[in-house]
């Protein structure tokens, strides 16, 4: 605001014995005024040194640092030090998150990671930062994995807002995908489908991210399948998903898609074909990459097929020994509740009504009520009614 070197020198004398003075906004001067300012610094350096007994700090954008060094070389030689606060031109590399590892982490590890992130975010700056947004997204996924759905939704929503402020389109789309999946898991299919189609898919198409697009198409197929639109779902699996994963060499993506094709075949009554896909194309590759949760899910579907064939003992053994311990270790309360429900189905089919009823009322229903999963709660209530009817009540 002083405008020229003479005004600056006068103000410097007025400051008296100030210990430190900051000179800011020098870049606002025009070219000729700036040249005169540097010339004045160079010629009056001894007078400036006598007038300012403390520290005189110049805040200069990088181009002006070079100009001062050239145009006021003698004054520049008297400098005590140069501190560099410039922002790197290249973005700082983000810390990668191993989402599969987080999903397969034991519940104690998840709780420790949640506490770690919450403590960091409590100390973080108020403004949107990429690191904070990434941590909120990770926290949302961790909350979802242990059944804390309302907290997960809150974290996803906050992360989306941060990514939008930072113009991080891809990360924003990934997080919206997580939010839509959360809604879908709670039976809110219309809202989930709208987010997938209107807010996620267009971003991946615009960015040319074929893998992310394939994942999203698969989640749309999940909803269609849940609605009973099997032909449309199967078409997406076979034409939009599987070829992409095969071309990219994505082992997990291909195995998950094969499993979902098997689900459709089961719905159509093609049990032998579905069992072959699970045992040959799904479980072995997932064991190889250490995806323990996925292996447990696939084993559960094998148990479903065995149960449908009437092989109840084999099915029960898989559920109790191969599937349930994994979900308990991971702290996946929803998956555990689903598995307990399958065990109750078998007990009910055997006529062990008391044991089945106990599981329905104590292991399933409270979980679905806490998660707000109205569909599964209704299904479980229906099965409780079936047991009561079978007992003559």
């Amino acid at each position: 605001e002083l405008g020229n070197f003479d005004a600056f020198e006068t103000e410097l004398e007025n400051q008296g014995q100030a210990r430190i003075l900051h000179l800011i906004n020098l870049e606002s001067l025009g070219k000729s005024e700036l040249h005169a300012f540097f010339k004045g610094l160079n010629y009056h350096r001894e007078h400036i040194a006598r007038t300012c007994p403390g520290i005189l700090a110049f805040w200069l954008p990088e181009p002006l640092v070079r100009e001062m060094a050239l145009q006021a070389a003698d004054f520049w030689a008297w400098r005590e030090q140069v501190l560099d606060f410039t922002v790197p031109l290249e973005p700082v590399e983000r810390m990668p998150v191993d989402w599969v590892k987080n999903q397969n982490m034991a519940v104690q590890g998840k709780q420790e990671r949640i506490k770690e992130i919450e403590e960091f975010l409590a100390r973080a700056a108020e403004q949107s930062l990429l690191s904070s947004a990434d941590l909120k997204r990770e926290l949302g996924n961790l909350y979802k994995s242990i059944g804390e759905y309302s907290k997960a939704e809150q974290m996803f929503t906050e992360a989306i807002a941060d990514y939008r402020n930072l113009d991080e389109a891809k990360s924003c789309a990934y997080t919206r995908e997580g939010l839509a999946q959360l809604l879908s898991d709670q039976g809110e299919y219309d809202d989930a489908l709208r987010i997938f189609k209107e807010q996620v898919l267009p971003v991946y198409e615009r960015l040319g991210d074929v893998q992310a697009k394939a994942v999203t198409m698969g989640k749309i197929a999940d909803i269609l399948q849940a609605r009973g639109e099997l032909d449309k779902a199967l078409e997406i699996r076979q034409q939009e998903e599987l070829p992409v994963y095969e071309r990219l060499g994505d082992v997990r993506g291909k195995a998950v898609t094969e499993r979902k094709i098997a689900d459709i075949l089961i719905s159509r009554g093609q049990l032998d074909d579905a069992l072959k896909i699970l045992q040959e194309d799904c479980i072995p590759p997932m064991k190889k990459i250490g995806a323990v949760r996925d292996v447990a899910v696939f084993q559960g579907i094998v148990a479903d097929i065995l149960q449908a064939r009437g092989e109840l003992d084999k099915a029960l053994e898989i559920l109790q020994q191969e599937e349930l311990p994994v979900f308990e270790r991971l702290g996946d309360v929803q998956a555990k509740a689903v598995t307990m429900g399958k065990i109750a189905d078998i007990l009910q089919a055997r006529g062990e009504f008391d044991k089945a009823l106990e599981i329905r009322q104590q292991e399933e229903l409270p979980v679905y009520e806490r998660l707000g999963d109205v569909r599964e709660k209704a299904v479980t209530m229906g099965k409780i009614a079936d047991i009561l009817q079978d007992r003559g009540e």
Side-chain angles (χ1 to χ4, degrees), residues 124-392:
E126 290 185 7
Q127 69 267 29
S128 298
L129 296 173
L130 194 52
S131 57
S132 295
D134 287 343
L135 287 170
K136 287 174 184 177
R137 179 184 165 208
E138 183 184 351
L139 192 54
N141 280 295
L142 287 166
Y143 276 136
K144 178 178 178 290
S145 73
I146 62 170
E148 296 280 359
Y149 282 8
S150 59
K151 289 183 179 180
E153 186 172 349
Q154 180 187 345
M155 285 298 106
F156 285 144
T157 303
E158 288 185 18
I160 288 166
D162 288 349
Y163 285 134
R164 288 187 67 189
N165 289 336
L166 295 164
D167 199 25
E168 281 285 333
K170 197 168 188 177
S171 295
C172 188
Y174 282 147
T175 313
R176 279 180 165 144
E177 191 171 346
L179 176 60
Q181 186 61 55
L182 182 68
L183 296 173
S184 178
D185 290 346
Q186 296 176 85
E188 299 179 39
Y189 296 133
D190 290 341
D191 288 339
L193 204 57
R194 177 182 55 79
I195 293 173
F196 282 134
K197 287 184 174 179
E198 296 178 11
Q199 298 179 359
V200 177
L201 205 57
V203 176
Y204 296 149
E205 288 173 342
R206 189 172 71 247
L207 295 173
D209 191 333
V210 292
Q211 185 176 32
K213 180 185 174 183
V215 170
T216 305
M217 290 302 299
K219 292 181 177 180
I220 290 171
D222 289 342
I223 294 175
L224 296 175
Q225 192 169 331
R227 286 176 163 179
E229 301 176 50
L230 301 183
D231 290 342
K232 289 183 181 178
L234 186 60
E235 183 180 343
I236 289 174
R237 304 284 187 216
Q238 293 176 330
Q239 296 182 23
E240 302 280 351
E241 286 188 88
L242 210 53
V244 173
Y245 297 134
E246 287 173 343
R247 190 168 70 248
L248 295 174
D250 185 341
V251 175
R252 184 179 183 278
K254 181 176 183 294
V256 169
T257 306
E258 293 277 17
R259 187 268 289 182
K260 290 179 178 179
I261 289 172
D263 287 342
I264 295 173
L265 296 177
I266 292 168
S267 300
R268 289 177 163 178
Q270 298 171 246
L271 301 183
D272 291 344
D273 293 336
L275 190 60
K276 183 179 180 184
I277 288 173
L278 288 162
Q279 292 178 331
E280 295 180 6
D281 299 325
C282 298
I283 294 173
M286 289 306 232
K287 282 184 175 179
K288 193 172 182 180
I289 65 172
V292 291
R293 186 186 185 281
D294 291 302
V295 170
V297 170
F298 296 170
Q299 293 279 20
I301 301 168
V302 169
D304 291 342
I305 294 173
L306 295 174
Q307 182 180 346
R309 285 175 161 182
E311 301 176 48
L312 301 184
D313 291 344
K314 287 184 180 179
L316 190 61
E317 182 181 343
I318 289 173
L319 292 171
Q320 291 178 328
Q321 297 182 20
E322 301 286 345
E323 191 173 11
L324 195 61
V326 174
F327 296 140
E328 286 177 338
R329 191 171 71 250
L330 297 177
D332 192 331
V333 292
Q334 197 229 17
K336 179 186 173 184
V338 170
T339 307
M340 291 303 295
K342 291 179 179 181
I343 291 171
D345 288 340
I346 294 174
L347 295 175
Q348 192 170 334
R350 284 175 161 181
E352 300 178 46
F353 298 129
D354 291 343
K355 289 182 180 178
L357 186 62
E358 183 182 345
I359 289 173
R360 303 281 190 217
Q361 293 177 328
Q362 297 182 22
E363 302 285 348
E364 278 191 277
L365 202 58
V367 174
Y368 297 137
E369 286 174 341
R370 191 171 77 248
L371 297 180
D373 192 334
V374 291
R375 182 184 180 279
E376 289 301 327
K377 178 185 174 183
V379 169
T380 306
M381 290 297 292
K383 290 180 177 180
I384 289 172
D386 291 341
I387 294 173
L388 297 175
Q389 184 175 338
D390 289 340
R391 294 203 311 191

